[in-house]
Amino acid sequence: SSRRRSAIKSLMTTPAAILLQTPPALADSTAAPLSPKQLNLSPSSISSIVTSDVTSRQFLATADFTRSIYSESCTFTDEIDTYTLPKFVKGTKALFIPEGSAVTLTSPVTATDDL
């Protein structure tokens, strides 16, 4: 049909870079929308948030945590490697079954003003 030929001709003249881009809506449908960053929190506020993330949200097994307290350029390190924030989230979600995983604290979470 002429519509099909027209569509094919249009694709043939479209730059490849445009065709290879992932539409923004499909780029990462699992990514949570970013909320504004919480800045200038006290060490006790940070400790409280992280404690809740570990104990209530089980973030080490679910990757469900208060992202607004972390820089988007932060890294997470374990005994194997260091991961960017997006890779930590993706890897954790792929590695663990939240319903079958449990994380408990063996000592209190502490935070300081030191960088």
Side-chain angles (χ1 to χ4, degrees):
S1 83
S2 70
R3 278 191 1 196
R4 181 180 287 171
R5 279 188 294 261
S6 177
I8 291 171
K9 184 177 181 181
S10 172
L11 286 174
M12 291 173 59
T13 59
T14 302
I18 292 172
L19 294 175
L20 297 177
Q21 290 177 350
T22 303
L26 300 177
D28 186 359
S29 60
T30 63
L34 298 180
S35 49
K37 296 298 179 187
Q38 297 182 61
L39 304 174
N40 303 313
L41 295 172
S42 69
S44 64
S45 292
I46 294 169
S47 295
S48 177
I49 292 167
V50 173
T51 298
S52 177
D53 286 347
V54 172
T55 58
S56 299
R57 298 169 81 179
Q58 296 286 293
F59 102 90
L60 292 171
T62 64
D64 179 18
F65 58 96
T66 309
R67 192 166 173 159
S68 62
I69 68 168
Y70 295 89
S71 165
E72 290 302 306
S73 63
C74 76
T75 57
F76 293 82
T77 302
D78 64 16
E79 61 276 353
I80 299 170
D81 207 349
T82 298
Y83 308 91
T84 62
L85 193 149
K87 286 185 179 181
F88 169 79
V89 170
K90 183 178 180 181
T92 301
K93 288 181 182 280
L95 187 60
F96 294 99
I97 300 169
E99 300 79 29
S101 302
V103 177
T104 56
L105 287 173
T106 58
S107 60
V109 172
T110 58
T112 66
D113 287 323
D114 301 334
L115 294 175

